């Protein structure tokens, strides 16, 4: 279903006005924004959600094109560990809204889920649109008002203006809104064409809120492939390998050869340390084990067997099953003379060096790291420098690999921010 079919009806978009007063404004109608709106409306508050795009949930729908991965079924301890340096903070959010809660929430929307062979959790129909449609129906029934084509411009500049005085660009001109509480769920800097353009960064910084640099996350990396490998193998998966970083960190999985370098789930799982090493050193080297289920001694023995008149390529294919893209990677990454040295070739198969030069641009990657500094927020995700302003979702300084971890933490942080905003509003009464 195209995103435009999920736009609010005309009755959902209020008439333009000047300095309209409302209870709470949620700015950003992605998963975090809609979840914050659900929490606040359930607490009895009238919620207005604003989004710059013509329809809501565009990145949510785009992410669901290959199958809507809602969360992951692995146990809590390894699940939390996926958040790396921010695991302790995200763990607190997940106590409010866990992976199990994601599945229960989807079921209450009438969306059945299943656990795939990888442990990832999907809707039975694998689609995002039915879930989003059911969610919007429930939000409208709860009185949530959706305002599309409302691009936030920050806060009013007048001396008397405060963090409650919001400016929006609309097709009918600028609109001013005064909100008793504000929840910002503006996303990071990936896929800006869908609304996450990071325009908010200087506005928060101007109000004393620390923002860590936005960096590519779940990103591919570039290397200088030869024309032969690029033309013959771009788009091919490299399956059943392990990837090891210089510090010894190792993961097993699969990745994809791209025109520019490498991408895919195994790369995304190690994105943060690879990216940080490139930033620190200008490039980094990783190591691939092309036969992770084979012992080194066995590989060495098979490579060293007499091959008679057969070519080395035929020998490797018949003795070790190495052909196609794996054979091409050996030729790409090892010196030519290595193929005349069975011991060196066997060592290369088990520890193939690949130099990575650059991270792909942030605008094209799946998500971004960096964002609003967590020490700039209290435990309820309210900005310490701007009471009444809460932040949630990808605009916060955390990251996670693909596999349902991103969406789950966006939901969880939105629940924490929504609870915080509801408590703040109650205290104003």
């Amino acid at each position: 279903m195209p995103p435009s079919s999920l736009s609010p009806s005309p009755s959902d978009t209020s008439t333009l006005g000047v300095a309209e007063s409302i209870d709470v404004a949620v700015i950003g109608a992605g998963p975090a924004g809609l979840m914050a709106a659900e929490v606040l409306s359930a607490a009895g508050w009238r919620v207005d959600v604003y989004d710059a795009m013509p329809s809501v949930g565009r990145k949510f729908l785009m992410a669901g094109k290959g199958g809507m991965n809602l969360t992951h079924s692995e146990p809590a301890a390894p699940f939390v560990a996926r958040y790396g340096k921010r695991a302790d903070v995200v763990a607190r959010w997940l106590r409010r809204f866990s992976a199990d809660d994601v599945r229960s929430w989807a079921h209450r929307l009438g969306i059945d889920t299943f656990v795939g062979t990888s442990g990832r959790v999907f809707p039975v129909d694998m689609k995002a649109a039915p879930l989003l449609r059911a969610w919007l129906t429930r939000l409208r029934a709860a009185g949530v008002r959706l305002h599309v084509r409302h691009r936030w411009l920050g806060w009013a500049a007048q001396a008397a203006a405060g963090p409650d005085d919001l400016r929006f660009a609309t097709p009918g001109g600028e609109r001013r809104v005064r909100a008793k509480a504000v929840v910002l769920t503006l996303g990071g800097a990936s896929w800006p064409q869908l609304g996450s353009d990071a325009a908010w960064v200087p506005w928060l910084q101007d109000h004393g809120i620390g923002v860590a640099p936005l960096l590519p996350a779940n990103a591919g990396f570039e290397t200088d492939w030869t024309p032969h490998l690029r033309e013959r193998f771009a788009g091919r998966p490299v399956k059943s390998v392990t990837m090891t970083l210089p510090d010894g960190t190792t993961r097993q999985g699969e990745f994809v050869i791209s025109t520019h370098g490498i991408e895919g789930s195994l790369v995304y799982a190690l994105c943060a340390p690879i990216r940080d090493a490139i930033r620190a050193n200008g490039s980094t080297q990783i190591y691939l084990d092309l036969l992770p289920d084979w012992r080194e001694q066995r590989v060495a023995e098979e490579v060293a067997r007499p091959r008679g008149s057969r070519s080395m390529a035929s020998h490797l294919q018949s003795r070790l099953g190495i052909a196609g893209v794996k054979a091409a990677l050996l030729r790409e990454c090892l010196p030519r003379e290595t193929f005349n040295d069975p011991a060196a070739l066997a060592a290369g198969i088990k520890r193939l060096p690949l130099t990575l030069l650059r991270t792909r641009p942030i605008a094209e990657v799946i998500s971004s790291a960096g964002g609003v500094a967590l020490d700039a927020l209290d435990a309820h995700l309210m900005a310490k420098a701007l009471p009444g302003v809460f932040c949630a979702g990808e605009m916060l300084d955390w990251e996670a690999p693909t596999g349902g971890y991103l969406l789950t933490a966006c939901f969880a942080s939105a629940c924490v921010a929504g609870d915080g905003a509801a408590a703040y509003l109650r205290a104003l009464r």
Side-chain angles (χ1 to χ4, degrees), residues 152-305:
W152 186 48
L153 300 176
W155 290 279
Q158 291 90 336
D164 61 337
D165 202 339
L166 307 166
R167 299 171 56 222
F168 294 94
T170 79
E174 186 171 319
R175 178 180 182 181
R176 292 270 297 280
V177 173
R178 283 189 174 275
K180 297 174 184 175
V182 178
V183 181
L184 301 177
T185 58
L186 294 161
S190 67
W191 295 359
Q193 68 273 25
L194 300 181
S196 299
D197 59 9
W200 51 268
V201 170
W203 302 331
L204 269 63
Q205 290 176 325
D206 288 347
H207 282 79
I209 299 173
V211 180
L214 291 165
L215 302 171
N218 290 297
F221 294 93
E222 298 181 7
T223 191
D224 288 338
W225 294 134
T226 60
H228 170 76
L229 190 136
R230 183 184 302 113
E231 292 164 8
R232 290 283 303 276
F233 295 99
R236 298 281 187 90
V238 184
K239 297 186 177 182
S240 300
V241 298
T242 61
M243 185 177 292
T244 300
L245 307 188
D247 66 0
T249 300
T250 299
R251 282 190 181 275
Q252 185 167 347
E254 62 182 75
F255 66 94
V256 175
I257 301 294
S258 71
T259 300
H260 303 285
I262 60 174
E263 58 186 30
S265 59
L266 180 56
V267 178
Y268 303 153
L270 295 171
C271 176
I274 295 174
R275 177 197 66 221
D276 294 346
I278 291 175
R279 293 184 73 216
N281 305 310
S283 65
T284 194
Q285 194 165 71
I286 63 170
Y287 302 91
L288 303 174
D289 183 346
L290 301 183
L291 296 174
D293 297 327
W294 290 49
R295 292 179 292 106
E296 292 183 20
Q297 182 178 349
R298 183 186 175 195
V299 172
E301 290 171 351
E302 295 296 336
V303 173
R305 288 182 185 276

